[in-house]
Amino acid sequence: MARILIVDDSPTEMYKLTAMLEKHGHQVLKAENGADGVALARQEKPDAVLMDIVMPGLNGFQATRQLTKDAETSHIPVIIITTKDQETDKVWGKRQGAKDYLTKPVDEATLLKTLNAVLAG
């Protein structure tokens, strides 16, 4: 299955997302902030990234922009998963290069459907 990088500063969200992904056979990589997420993505080249927005230091919008604009990581699809559910946030997230935008709490079926869609290209 796929190698998925989760970038989220919430231990609860990290646990929930990890459990959902591992249950379906995915391998999970974890980063607790945007800067670590960008560094880990460059190093490990995961198949996809699940990115939170509100994090200390480099936020999810900035981290997504760095990943999608860097030739080394631009092929890695980023799915933003956040509590920010305003339409302007969604538009901005897509502008940064995110392939999709989900709001928390995300249910398992939606997460897997979205993930499978971006992995399929």
Side-chain angles (χ1 to χ4, degrees):
M1 295 307 289
R3 293 172 69 222
I4 312 299
L5 169 60
I6 302 171
V7 184
D8 199 315
D9 61 334
S10 160
T12 307
E13 284 301 319
M14 186 73 82
Y15 175 81
K16 281 195 231 166
L17 293 170
T18 299
M20 285 184 216
L21 294 170
E22 287 180 344
K23 182 169 136 188
H24 292 274
H26 296 294
Q27 182 185 348
V28 175
L29 303 165
K30 301 173 186 175
E32 293 178 2
N33 60 60
D36 288 352
V38 169
L40 198 57
R42 286 188 178 132
Q43 182 186 329
E44 296 288 335
K45 306 285 191 294
D47 298 307
V49 177
L50 303 182
M51 182 75 72
D52 185 25
I53 297 299
V54 184
M55 296 182 285
L58 194 69
N59 72 38
F61 288 136
Q62 294 164 320
T64 298
R65 186 168 54 242
Q66 283 188 20
L67 290 175
T68 58
K69 304 295 183 246
D70 183 336
E72 247 188 273
T73 54
S74 61
H75 66 284
I76 303 170
V78 176
I79 300 170
I80 289 175
I81 300 182
T82 182
T83 52
K84 293 172 76 66
D85 64 353
Q86 298 298 307
E87 194 55 38
T88 51
D89 295 320
K90 293 176 185 174
V91 169
W92 187 245
K94 296 271 181 89
R95 276 219 186 128
Q96 305 317 302
K99 295 283 183 236
D100 215 323
Y101 192 107
L102 302 174
T103 51
K104 294 175 183 174
V106 66
D107 69 272
E108 197 168 318
T110 303
L111 176 64
L112 292 166
K113 186 175 131 211
T114 306
L115 189 57
N116 290 334
V118 301
L119 289 172

